[in-house]
Amino acid sequence: MDSRNSIDHHHHNDSISGVSSRWSLSSKDPPSEKSLSAIWDRSMLSMSQKEIKDEDARLVYINDAERTNERFDFTGNSIKTAKYSVFTFLPRNLFEQFHRVAYVYFLVIAVLNQLPQLAVFGRGASIMPLAFVLLVSAIKDAYEDFRRHRSDRVENNRLALVFEEGRFREKQWKYIRVGEVVKVVSNQTLPCDMVLLATSDPTGVVYVQTTNLDGESNLKTRYAKQETLQKAADLETFNGFIKCEKPNRNIYGGCELKNTEWALGVVVYAGGETKAMLNNSGAPSKRSRLETRMNLEIILLSLFLIALCTTAAATAAVWLRRHRDDLDTILFYRRKDYSERPGGKNHNYYGWGWEIFFTFFMAVIVYQIMIPISLYISMELVRIGQAYFMTRDDQMYDESSNSSFQCRALNINEDLGQIKYLFSDKTGTLTDNKMEFQSACIGGVDYSDWKSADSEHGGYSIEVDGNILKPKMRVRVDPELLELTKDGYATKEAKRANEFFLSLAACNTIVPIVTNTSDPNVKLVDYQGESPDEQALVYAAAAYGFLLIERTSGHIVINVRGEMQRYNVLGLHEFDSDRKRMSVILGCPDTVMDESYGDVIEETKKQLHAYSSDGLRTLVVGMRKLNDSEFEQWHSSFEAASTALIGRAGLLRKVAGNIETNLRIVGATAIEDKLQRGVPEAIESLRIAGIKVWVLTGDKQETAISIGFSSRLLTRNMRQIVINSNSLDSCRRSLEEANASIESNDESVALIIDGTSLIYVLDSDLEDVLFQVACKCSAILCCRVAPFQKAGIVALVKNRTSDMTLAIGDGANDVSMIQMADVGVGISGQEGRQAVMASDFAMGQFRFLVPLLLVHGHWNYQRMGYMILYNFYRNAVFVLILFWYVLFTCYTLTTAITEWSSVLYSVIYTSVPTIIIGILDKDLGRRTLLNHPQLYGVGQRGEGYSTTLFWYMMFDTIWQSAAIFFIPLFAYWGSTIDTSSLGDLWTIAAVVVVNLHLAMDIIRWNWITHAAIWGSIVAACICVIVIDVIPTLPGYWAIFEVTSTWMFWFCLLAIVVTSLLPRFAIKYLGEYYRPSDVRIAREAEKLGTFIEPQGTEIEMNQIGDPPRR
Amino acid sequence: MSSGGGGSSEPSGVKKTSKRPKYSRFTQQELPACKPILTPSWVILTFLVAGVVFIPLGVICLFASQGVVEIVDRYDTDCVPESSRANKVAYIQSEGNKMCNRTITVTKTMKHPIYVYYQLENYYQNHRRYVKSRNDAQLRSPREENDVQTCAPEDNVAGHPIVPCGLVAWSLFNDTYQFSRNSEKLPVNKKDISWKSDRDSKFGKNVYPKNFQSGAPIGGGTLDPKKPLSEQEDLIVWMRTAALPIFRKLYGKIETDLNAGDTIMVLLENNYNTYSFNGEKKLVLSTTSWLGGRNDFLGVAYLTVGSICLFLAVTFSVLYLVKPRQLGDPSYLSWNRSPGG
């Protein structure tokens, strides 16, 4: 047993008041890393101004807004989430858009083109692509901002009661000022951050719901200061001032008042300085691996571009040099302009050196699309489309929390297909975090036999003042134990049982809420609290007759089998994850305590071990009696600590630590943390997919291991290596031993390491050893991990490998890990939304990881990888066609293809199909991918995009561009063909070839795909026709003239077949003789040769599955 | 999930709107789709068909090309008198008679119409400076007469705009040919040698040449200022700038048949200066086929590609017979080949 888990009960006969004795009750909760304490830090709001430095402080004069705002100009309460106004929209939106490198590239090219010497394209054609992109983005931004304006307006015009001129008057939110006193009534939302002055509750307690802030629906308690409670009764004369910190993120606002009639508060932070606004930061920004990887090829393409430009410039230089004496007489050059003066002046000629320079930059302008800038925009569109389908996937919809999949980060979709390491939280992620009271061990005796009594015991209820009170949730009870508690204090065992349940009912932060039911006589008691463990314990106590009825900051009322008992709460040490326990100090009648029990530590230890081996979460309950001097000593230090301004939390912890000693064991509880549906199957699938699963949990080793087995992370045939060391040396020794022992064979091994060992491992040279060991293990279980270690473990792996990491968790303690990993997934479950807020993707259940990674991840990766390669190819083909022509135009960058076609090529002619394919094409069906998780390896090995594929694509590009260019060149050599006609032929040939190339690689043809491919070709033809019916362009009517000859069609056919022939043949040879897994699976899918495994993997994804067990 | 009813998941009276995505085959990415895969039979069949189609097409193309009778006569050097050949540029720029007689023998019967072309080589009508030096708006409408800024260095003379402006028009080809057979004149039809669309819409019917070739230096031919541009067909042909540095332009048509062995006398006026950049000038008489002029390339290309396709079809068939693979056999999957991997 863990000796730290103890509970205690103590007794004291006398006190100064003489009315009641004081005893303390504490229960400690080690296994969960959940915080039971509120985050609200009251230290900042002390009425007594002490330590805050003047320059850091803000002075708020209560009820005196004039004076408050006199010296400091605090922000008003009107909020503004909208970014733009009508006037600032244009400059500011443009400014923001040009933060993207792609747009700057566009802009630089467009500006270069405006120089008269470099003007390759006309004004319109050169600016159009940039203008188009800017316009689309601007419209999108404007629409979003319009919606924000609208919601701001609604928010700002809401009404609140503000104390003015002797009474409360309604005032719009936007006019509320710092220093004013606001009255909030039940179910109203707090308009801004306030310091609580008084509430309807005489003790000054108030319950708030922070759903708007962090999504947590549990009630949280806040307390008014005793001093203000009394004074606030007379608001007219009430004054004083608050000295507090400058705005930071620790103060609340925007939450909703619940269960309290009214509350008075003074405004300290308003408008943009409230917590809600300060916390309102956007989704995290990460870059996808594929995109980073792609940059290498972008650099290669840039070099290629420079090479082309240099070639053009150099050849032009040679020609000019060779003909330097003839330039005036060459009919098609004619350097001199004689129209102004007789001798003539050079027209558009600046000397040999400058001409080379200009040629180079003109070449950059002409070949600009070699760097596929449009790719970045296409990628964004594709990701939006992919995200749409991911969120719409009804196999990732969680019924119980009514949440569908959320894509919070829009730029790492394809990373989901390359995950190699998975770090998972346990509680709330693998398990439901719905706690169920399973067993109790009281005085060393285990009570867990509820089966026999299940049906007849319909739940506990009690009649109070003619009303029947019932706990909202029923808990199975052990009849023997129930009988025992009914004996009251008759026997030792009974006494202990009563103490046990009294402790459970008292030592928590649960708020009981009595709600009406359809039957006016029956009322339900609902226990609201931040910790599901506490809820389970209180419900359990209620089932055994200890019904918690009321809790205020000063006292609790417990109905013990019909008898109302009131206990003064003298102090409460909230749970924290360092102490891993909580305690409460109660004053109570001195009849009950008895010190004469025997010691039950050994028996309890044994029982605890048994519980945790079953995967249950255990708590130990203990109590102790405080005598006068102990109490006084504690009381004074507690008071001092709770009013301390600096390091209050630490001081309180110390006080708690001092009093939480010498506890007498009463018993222990066991709570089952149920596995989520489909978790074992999901983990198995992920493991087969080659993903290394690390489970990080705060649980004890036994609990962790047993959860490991039940979730199939561990299997019986695995060898377990347990690292459980207390010092650096022993840690090193065991790790090295482990490392050596696995090297000898390749059995499957599981590594279990605990938080203490990790303290020595993290940030030391042992990290490397651990990583080596972990690489050889098929499962890793880290238990007793502190929240801060989680990120450390992720970093340990992330820094040592280029493989992708994914972290999944549901609680605030997982935030660091989620942000550290390449991909962070948040479970939107029981524990609030901090994890979701920090995550890139959020979903309802752990098992959705399987469709997310294996299906969507795989698809997204394959699609994106192909799309990048295709876009490189598509643009390079076009650039090369332009380049080849330069060799036949005296190296002068004439383009036969019209400038409008050059511009529209990547915007209209070829862009839609690649985007559609990037969103819709599926290389394999969902069923196949789920049945054969091994197919996920494609992404892990990076087979969808690699430098080899890039070069293969580039050689193909050269061949295809050559075929497109040279076939008509030779066919029309020495003929009457004019520039425009040949240009039109090249344009159409390029569009057809490029689209057919894509068509050849499409795996699934549905009507959308057909429409996109054939539609693009038709659209391109229409555009070419439209361009050619403008009589003021040189190419007037060329398309009609050229298509009326047979030559055109013969060339086109020859081009299409010749350019795609090598690719077709090689594709076939590769796919048939060296098939990839995907290809085989595709054949099998089509021909039905897969033997469907008796697949649990499929089953788990069916929607109407009955719950396990 | 407690035993008995009334768990916490029970909806407490409030009806929540379900966020469950609406099911449709589209959103679930399950649209009916065709999933073609490259099976050997399909691939072999494709190559076979391609080969079978391409070889006859190649033969047809070759036949068409071979059926064209073409006579090419290069005259740029020969039409400069021996004495002037050392400095051809000076000769061509000098005043005086530059008539030149050429004799052409018809080797094969030529059916009418026989197209008369001039062919220029090493002449970059697609040079960037050159193609940009024109203004299409000005050609079309007299109102745009002053729109000459893109035409430099041939934009205006002494402040008056040139119509048609620009280097392209300025360098108008101006060699002329007169044909006779057995001292009987062979008329050359110079009507309809340009695109109808150009005459109708691109070159204005009320746009007349102005200030054309009136300043030094003279680049090429002159235009009749009385004739509107839409009737100046030589100019219209010339203004369709050639795509390639070796190009032909239609000069006219001879509307009678020529017989094998006929000797054609050409009286040629050698005006056009291609000597300063070693340009070549050729006179071409040619019939045409449905496919165009004489050019074997396309036929050869079709035959080559067709043969390659057939070859590949045969090779792939043999490969398939020698080393077949069971399609979709799961035992080929990497994890089935090496267990545990």
Side-chain angles (χ1 to χ4, degrees):
Chain A
M1 190 204 81
D2 195 317
S3 61
R4 282 175 294 178
N5 305 344
S6 55
I7 299 228
D8 146 328
H9 211 119
H10 232 268
H11 183 214
H12 171 59
N13 276 339
D14 207 289
S15 73
I16 304 154
S17 68
V19 180
S20 63
S21 63
R22 303 179 175 94
W23 31 299
S24 95
L25 236 166
S26 81
S27 100
K28 291 137 207 185
D29 175 343
S32 155
E33 60 270 44
K34 306 296 173 253
S35 160
L36 302 189
S37 70
I39 26 164
W40 176 242
D41 188 349
R42 270 171 295 165
S43 68
M44 295 159 193
L45 301 174
S46 173
M47 293 297 289
S48 44
Q49 352 68 17
K50 285 178 211 160
E51 265 82 29
I52 301 175
K53 278 189 228 129
D54 272 349
E55 60 266 28
D56 294 335
R58 78 155 39 188
L59 279 175
V60 178
Y61 295 91
I62 297 171
N63 217 354
D64 194 346
E66 300 303 326
R67 203 167 145 205
T68 308
N69 289 291
E70 191 172 80
R71 259 206 317 143
F72 307 94
D73 196 16
F74 295 133
T75 19
N77 197 39
S78 93
I79 54 158
K80 189 166 169 282
T81 54
K83 274 200 263 180
Y84 314 109
S85 73
V86 178
F87 302 105
T88 60
F89 180 75
L90 202 62
R92 191 145 172 218
N93 185 256
L94 283 180
F95 177 74
E96 281 180 13
Q97 289 205 41
F98 278 112
H99 273 114
R100 293 180 182 159
V101 183
Y103 291 10
V104 174
Y105 178 81
F106 264 142
L107 184 70
V108 168
I109 298 278
V111 166
L112 273 182
N113 189 65
Q114 303 312 312
L115 299 177
Q117 293 84 6
L118 298 180
V120 176
F121 296 131
R123 290 270 150 82
S126 66
I127 295 180
M128 205 218 68
L130 181 61
F132 176 77
V133 172
L134 287 178
L135 186 74
V136 170
S137 309
I139 289 173
K140 193 191 92 209
D141 291 347
Y143 175 68
E144 280 174 3
D145 209 50
F146 170 70
R147 296 206 327 196
R148 280 195 289 261
H149 268 294
R150 214 168 40 187
S151 72
D152 282 357
R153 203 157 42 233
V154 170
E155 199 77 353
N156 283 331
N157 291 337
R158 287 168 75 168
L159 296 174
L161 285 171
V162 177
F163 190 76
E164 267 179 337
E165 297 161 10
R167 61 200 178 89
F168 284 102
R169 298 210 302 200
E170 289 206 324
K171 201 173 179 183
Q172 286 180 336
W173 279 21
K174 57 183 166 190
Y175 298 123
I176 293 176
R177 288 183 300 168
V178 174
E180 287 179 333
V181 174
V182 177
K183 183 178 187 175
V184 185
V185 297
S186 190
N187 293 334
Q188 258 190 356
T189 307
L190 273 63
C192 49
D193 291 350
M194 309 194 300
V195 169
L196 197 57
L197 297 177
T199 75
S200 55
D201 184 292
T203 52
V205 74
V206 67
Y207 300 100
V208 291
Q209 196 174 34
T210 53
T211 320
N212 292 344
L213 270 189
D214 53 12
E216 297 183 35
S217 59
N218 294 318
L219 293 189
K220 297 195 175 64
T221 46
R222 300 286 181 261
Y223 300 94
K225 273 274 153 189
Q226 290 299 320
E227 296 89 328
T228 61
L229 250 183
Q230 294 126 28
K231 286 184 184 167
D234 186 8
L235 271 176
E236 285 283 0
T237 58
F238 180 54
N239 54 40
F241 66 95
I242 296 174
K243 195 169 181 181
C244 51
E245 280 183 1
K246 288 201 167 148
N248 65 30
R249 294 176 178 223
N250 285 326
I251 303 185
Y252 69 170
C255 33
E256 214 171 287
L257 195 67
K258 289 278 180 194
N259 249 38
T260 315
E261 238 168 80
W262 52 264
L264 284 183
V266 58
V267 178
V268 285
Y269 300 118
E273 294 177 343
T274 56
K275 182 190 181 188
M277 298 297 290
L278 288 175
N279 279 354
N280 201 347
S281 53
S285 157
K286 289 176 184 173
R287 278 194 97 180
S288 94
R289 174 66 47 93
L290 207 53
E291 206 177 322
T292 319
R293 176 75 191 63
M294 178 184 98
N295 284 341
L296 177 69
E297 276 74 42
I298 293 275
I299 292 169
L300 284 176
L301 285 174
S302 314
L303 293 177
F304 204 33
L305 171 67
I306 292 171
L308 292 186
C309 296
T310 312
T311 313
T315 46
V318 169
W319 188 88
L320 280 174
R321 192 85 192 149
R322 201 179 279 166
H323 295 86
R324 62 184 180 277
D325 300 328
D326 311 324
L327 291 180
D328 288 333
T329 50
I330 291 180
L331 289 169
F332 51 83
Y333 199 95
R334 242 304 286 281
R335 183 171 55 182
K336 287 272 195 287
D337 183 352
Y338 301 96
S339 60
E340 274 155 41
R341 56 186 137 106
K345 62 160 190 161
N346 282 347
H347 164 67
N348 203 6
Y349 182 87
Y350 305 88
W352 188 67
W354 280 111
E355 287 304 308
I356 297 168
F357 181 75
F358 289 145
T359 308
F360 182 84
F361 280 100
M362 276 161 77
V364 173
I365 296 172
V366 174
Y367 305 148
Q368 56 173 298
I369 62 164
M370 188 65 152
I371 314 290
I373 291 302
S374 58
L375 173 60
Y376 290 98
I377 294 142
S378 306
M379 279 168 88
E380 272 181 40
L381 292 175
V382 164
R383 284 183 186 131
I384 291 172
Q386 291 175 345
Y388 171 83
F389 283 113
M390 285 196 279
T391 50
R392 286 311 178 95
D393 187 345
D394 71 0
Q395 301 200 357
M396 293 203 290
Y397 165 78
D398 181 28
E399 201 123 29
S400 59
S401 61
N402 187 28
S403 57
S404 53
F405 182 80
Q406 279 182 53
C407 240
R408 295 176 42 81
L410 265 183
N411 39 7
I412 55 171
N413 290 351
E414 59 273 18
D415 279 355
L416 292 172
Q418 294 192 282
I419 302 299
K420 189 83 202 219
Y421 291 90
L422 168 69
F423 299 89
S424 174
D425 174 39
K426 201 214 77 189
T427 313
T429 306
L430 296 181
T431 63
D432 259 332
N433 203 20
K434 272 190 188 141
M435 304 299 165
E436 196 170 303
F437 187 80
Q438 286 289 23
S439 318
C441 160
I442 301 171
V445 184
D446 171 41
Y447 300 95
S448 49
D449 176 30
W450 55 75
K451 292 164 194 92
S452 53
D454 203 358
S455 50
E456 68 233 42
H457 195 86
Y460 180 81
S461 64
I462 193 82
E463 194 174 323
V464 181
D465 303 333
N467 287 328
I468 294 170
L469 288 178
K470 266 180 150 176
K472 192 177 169 197
M473 215 154 74
R474 281 184 271 182
V475 180
R476 292 175 288 195
V477 294
D478 181 298
E480 193 190 334
L481 184 56
L482 188 66
E483 285 309 311
L484 194 62
T485 55
K486 283 180 181 161
D487 291 350
Y489 297 91
T491 64
K492 230 203 278 189
E493 285 73 28
K495 224 178 212 177
R496 229 199 287 249
N498 274 294
E499 283 173 4
F500 179 79
F501 287 113
L502 190 59
S503 307
L504 295 190
C507 186
N508 51 62
T509 55
I510 292 292
V511 182
I513 293 172
V514 180
T515 52
N516 294 322
T517 59
S518 47
D519 182 351
N521 289 327
V522 179
K523 296 206 184 314
L524 281 183
V525 183
D526 183 12
Y527 291 126
Q528 287 271 2
E530 291 166 40
S531 149
D533 296 71
E534 286 191 341
Q535 281 176 322
L537 292 177
V538 180
Y539 277 119
Y544 285 96
F546 290 76
L547 194 61
L548 180 66
I549 303 283
E550 189 184 338
R551 171 184 297 277
T552 67
S553 54
H555 70 272
I556 53 173
V557 175
I558 300 173
N559 183 310
V560 183
R561 289 185 302 274
E563 178 198 345
M564 284 293 186
Q565 294 184 3
R566 185 187 155 108
Y567 299 90
N568 289 329
V569 178
L570 304 171
L572 184 116
H573 297 287
E574 289 188 344
F575 181 87
D576 69 55
S577 47
D578 295 331
R579 259 163 64 235
K580 292 184 172 156
R581 56 180 172 256
M582 80 170 289
S583 60
V584 60
I585 298 183
L586 294 182
C588 74
D590 59 348
T591 52
V592 270
M593 297 305 290
D594 188 346
E595 289 292 292
S596 58
Y597 306 138
D599 192 16
V600 291
I601 289 184
E602 279 312 312
E603 292 88 330
T604 313
K605 245 187 191 175
K606 217 181 282 164
Q607 211 50 58
L608 279 171
H609 189 79
Y611 290 155
S612 55
S613 306
D614 288 342
L616 301 173
R617 298 156 74 85
T618 53
L619 291 166
V620 178
V621 184
M623 43 175 61
R624 74 180 278 206
K625 206 156 59 171
L626 298 177
N627 60 37
D628 273 346
S629 64
E630 278 170 335
F631 176 75
E632 282 313 321
Q633 200 188 343
W634 166 82
H635 187 69
S636 56
S637 49
F638 182 72
E639 285 297 303
S642 22
T643 50
L645 281 172
I646 290 161
R648 193 177 135 271
L651 284 173
L652 277 175
R653 196 178 307 141
K654 212 168 134 202
V655 174
N658 286 338
I659 200 78
E660 287 161 350
T661 53
N662 297 321
L663 299 176
R664 185 169 49 77
I665 304 291
V666 178
T669 61
I671 294 175
E672 188 185 359
D673 187 2
K674 278 195 157 180
L675 274 187
Q676 282 182 14
R677 194 148 65 84
V679 163
E681 294 86 348
I683 289 194
E684 199 174 331
S685 276
L686 294 174
R687 243 220 335 268
I688 298 171
I691 298 173
K692 281 200 161 47
V693 181
W694 296 50
V695 171
L696 316 177
T697 168
D699 281 0
K700 283 196 297 298
Q701 196 166 306
E702 297 82 5
T703 318
I705 290 177
S706 73
I707 288 279
F709 277 114
S710 59
S711 64
R712 289 198 219 159
L713 179 69
L714 306 178
T715 54
R716 294 290 161 198
N717 55 14
M718 274 183 187
R719 186 160 68 89
Q720 293 179 17
I721 296 179
V722 180
I723 301 203
N724 216 336
S725 314
N726 285 319
S727 72
L728 186 62
D729 287 336
S730 69
C731 194
R732 185 187 305 275
R733 218 172 317 118
S734 39
L735 269 175
E736 272 157 10
E737 256 170 43
N739 198 7
S741 77
I742 321 174
E743 247 155 0
S744 50
N745 43 32
D746 61 348
E747 64 193 317
S748 76
V749 182
L751 177 72
I752 294 134
I753 186 162
D754 73 344
T756 329
S757 313
L758 282 172
I759 292 175
Y760 302 111
V761 172
L762 294 177
D763 295 322
S764 76
D765 58 322
L766 284 181
E767 280 194 356
D768 287 314
V769 191
L770 175 62
F771 179 69
Q772 283 168 24
V773 177
C775 280
K776 296 174 198 157
C777 295
S778 44
I780 293 104
L781 196 58
C782 304
C783 39
R784 285 213 165 279
V785 178
F788 68 89
Q789 287 178 325
K790 289 187 173 180
I793 297 166
V794 177
L796 182 152
V797 174
K798 196 180 160 188
N799 296 339
R800 276 174 184 72
T801 163
S802 59
D803 295 326
M804 301 288 292
T805 54
L806 179 146
I808 178 168
D810 73 320
N813 53 34
D814 304 315
V815 167
S816 60
M817 161 172 100
I818 285 171
Q819 284 172 335
M820 173 64 74
D822 295 305
V823 178
V825 178
I827 299 274
S828 43
Q830 308 282 303
E831 253 192 274
R833 294 182 49 83
Q834 285 103 321
V836 170
M837 292 299 182
S839 67
D840 305 307
F841 302 96
M843 53 196 192
Q845 298 267 320
F846 180 82
R847 67 173 195 278
F848 296 160
L849 261 191
V850 177
L852 178 65
L853 298 184
L854 266 44
V855 180
H856 289 287
H858 177 91
W859 285 343
N860 291 347
Y861 172 75
Q862 295 283 75
R863 290 161 175 172
M864 197 57 92
Y866 181 76
M867 181 172 131
I868 294 171
L869 286 172
Y870 176 76
N871 274 265
F872 286 163
Y873 146 83
R874 177 192 73 168
N875 286 12
V877 159
F878 193 76
V879 168
L880 281 175
I881 293 171
L882 295 177
F883 175 76
W884 300 132
Y885 191 50
V886 165
L887 305 179
F888 298 90
T889 64
C890 213
Y891 324 106
T892 56
L893 298 165
T894 316
T895 53
I897 296 166
T898 61
E899 59 185 36
W900 283 100
S901 282
S902 312
V903 168
L904 296 177
Y905 175 78
S906 54
V907 181
I908 293 178
Y909 297 178
T910 56
S911 65
V912 178
T914 163
I915 293 173
I916 295 286
I917 299 310
I919 297 173
L920 283 182
D921 204 22
K922 306 191 293 183
D923 57 345
L924 288 170
R926 179 190 288 267
R927 212 181 164 77
T928 312
L929 288 169
L930 288 174
N931 280 339
H932 302 277
Q934 294 95 332
L935 289 167
Y936 190 72
V938 175
Q940 290 169 333
R941 295 188 293 270
E943 285 174 11
Y945 181 90
S946 64
T947 309
T948 324
L949 282 176
F950 171 79
W951 284 113
Y952 168 62
M953 203 71 159
M954 278 299 127
F955 283 117
D956 196 22
T957 303
I958 294 173
W959 166 256
Q960 291 191 21
S961 69
I964 295 170
F965 179 81
F966 286 102
I967 287 177
L969 182 94
F970 291 129
Y972 283 111
W973 191 254
S975 77
T976 59
I977 192 75
D978 63 292
T979 318
S980 310
S981 301
L982 195 55
D984 286 345
L985 171 55
W986 278 328
T987 310
I988 286 174
V991 170
V992 170
V993 166
V994 160
N995 277 309
L996 285 182
H997 175 119
L998 181 64
M1000 218 156 80
D1001 291 336
I1002 290 177
I1003 292 146
R1004 263 156 225 251
W1005 283 91
N1006 54 40
W1007 67 268
I1008 303 175
T1009 327
H1010 278 289
I1013 295 278
W1014 313 124
S1016 272
I1017 295 178
V1018 171
C1021 293
I1022 291 174
C1023 287
V1024 170
I1025 289 172
V1026 167
I1027 293 167
D1028 274 0
V1029 294
I1030 302 170
T1032 49
L1033 290 181
Y1036 178 67
W1037 225 249
I1039 184 71
F1040 300 107
E1041 296 285 346
V1042 75
T1043 49
S1044 62
T1045 62
W1046 279 105
M1047 190 69 164
F1048 176 86
W1049 300 105
F1050 270 77
C1051 278
L1052 196 60
L1053 181 63
I1055 289 170
V1056 170
V1057 171
T1058 313
S1059 53
L1060 295 178
L1061 190 135
R1063 185 175 171 81
F1064 187 68
I1066 290 170
K1067 187 179 157 81
Y1068 162 72
L1069 286 177
E1071 286 186 354
Y1072 191 71
Y1073 291 104
R1074 296 187 57 194
S1076 64
D1077 291 341
V1078 171
R1079 159 78 188 191
I1080 295 166
R1082 225 165 82 206
E1083 293 167 359
E1085 193 177 73
K1086 180 159 175 154
L1087 305 172
T1089 50
F1090 266 145
I1091 307 136
E1092 297 296 330
Q1094 299 304 311
T1096 42
E1097 292 98 323
I1098 284 200
E1099 225 169 80
M1100 55 170 274
N1101 285 293
Q1102 282 171 1
I1103 301 147
D1105 239 6
R1108 291 183 337 108
R1109 293 188 198 197
Chain B
M1 302 260 177
S2 63
S3 72
S8 60
S9 57
E10 186 185 340
S12 51
V14 191
K15 195 169 182 289
K16 274 196 267 178
T17 47
S18 173
K19 287 183 193 156
R20 175 185 283 282
K22 247 187 167 170
Y23 179 87
S24 79
R25 297 189 83 165
F26 174 70
T27 57
Q28 300 312 306
Q29 308 190 47
E30 277 160 8
L31 287 175
C34 159
K35 303 175 278 185
I37 47 175
L38 294 181
T39 58
S41 41
W42 271 108
V43 172
I44 291 165
L45 192 69
T46 310
F47 279 118
L48 212 59
V49 169
V52 166
V53 170
F54 265 52
I55 288 179
L57 282 181
V59 172
I60 293 173
C61 288
L62 270 185
F63 264 110
S65 167
Q66 293 295 329
V68 171
V69 185
E70 187 182 87
I71 303 164
V72 180
D73 178 47
R74 179 177 172 183
Y75 64 85
D76 50 77
T77 311
D78 292 345
C79 280
V80 176
E82 295 275 357
S83 53
S84 304
R85 284 198 188 154
N87 192 350
K88 296 178 213 155
V89 178
Y91 167 78
I92 203 79
Q93 282 173 342
S94 66
E95 299 290 322
N97 180 14
K98 298 199 191 82
M99 299 306 261
C100 166
N101 280 307
R102 305 288 299 162
T103 311
I104 294 170
T105 314
V106 179
T107 49
K108 244 170 147 186
T109 307
M110 297 170 90
K111 293 256 181 273
H112 79 276
I114 297 154
Y115 292 90
V116 180
Y117 300 101
Y118 51 91
Q119 176 167 332
L120 298 177
E121 294 187 14
N122 200 22
Y123 191 118
Y124 289 90
Q125 229 195 353
N126 55 17
H127 194 285
R128 181 167 193 88
R129 273 174 84 89
Y130 185 81
V131 290
K132 294 280 164 191
S133 184
R134 62 188 284 161
N135 190 312
D136 290 279
Q138 192 207 34
L139 299 174
R140 199 161 168 261
S141 156
R143 272 170 304 165
E144 309 286 341
E145 191 180 289
N146 292 313
D147 189 6
V148 293
Q149 72 268 32
T150 57
C151 291
E154 273 303 312
D155 45 357
N156 50 54
V157 175
H160 301 292
I162 300 172
V163 182
C165 69
L167 282 186
V168 185
W170 171 76
S171 61
L172 177 64
F173 185 78
N174 61 347
D175 285 2
T176 58
Y177 315 113
Q178 287 171 42
F179 298 92
S180 53
R181 179 171 56 179
N182 307 330
S183 57
E184 175 200 341
K185 246 190 161 191
L186 275 176
V188 176
N189 180 3
K190 289 185 69 91
K191 267 239 162 277
D192 294 343
I193 56 173
S194 60
W195 290 1
K196 189 170 178 307
S197 56
D198 279 356
R199 294 194 300 269
D200 290 349
S201 318
K202 196 167 170 61
F203 290 82
K205 291 186 175 54
N206 50 359
V207 182
Y208 294 89
K210 271 185 196 161
N211 308 317
F212 190 67
Q213 305 285 26
S214 58
I218 305 292
T222 53
L223 294 172
D224 180 355
K226 306 260 170 20
K227 266 163 87 181
L229 290 189
S230 61
E231 287 171 28
Q232 312 262 11
E233 291 208 41
D234 282 327
L235 176 77
I236 296 174
V237 169
W238 183 251
M239 293 289 279
R240 277 277 159 205
T241 53
L244 302 169
I246 295 179
F247 63 91
R248 287 174 188 179
K249 293 222 172 266
L250 192 55
Y251 178 81
K253 288 173 280 188
I254 296 174
E255 305 281 10
T256 48
D257 292 353
L258 299 179
N259 303 317
D262 281 357
T263 305
I264 313 283
M265 299 296 296
V266 186
L267 182 61
L268 189 151
E269 200 175 326
N270 185 18
N271 298 320
Y272 200 66
N273 178 10
T274 55
Y275 301 101
S276 55
F277 51 90
N278 298 322
E280 294 173 16
K281 294 195 282 189
K282 287 173 182 167
L283 171 64
V284 180
L285 293 183
S286 172
T287 60
T288 58
S289 68
W290 55 273
L291 193 60
R294 189 185 174 99
N295 189 333
D296 291 349
F297 172 77
L298 212 51
V300 173
Y302 266 94
L303 283 178
T304 315
V305 172
S307 328
I308 291 175
C309 287
L310 283 185
F311 171 75
L312 285 178
V314 172
T315 315
F316 287 172
S317 306
V318 172
L319 262 180
Y320 174 67
L321 293 174
V322 172
K323 200 184 156 202
R325 173 171 75 86
Q326 175 71 46
L327 281 182
D329 182 353
S331 63
Y332 284 102
L333 290 163
S334 63
W335 59 89
N336 290 338
R337 273 177 299 184
S338 53

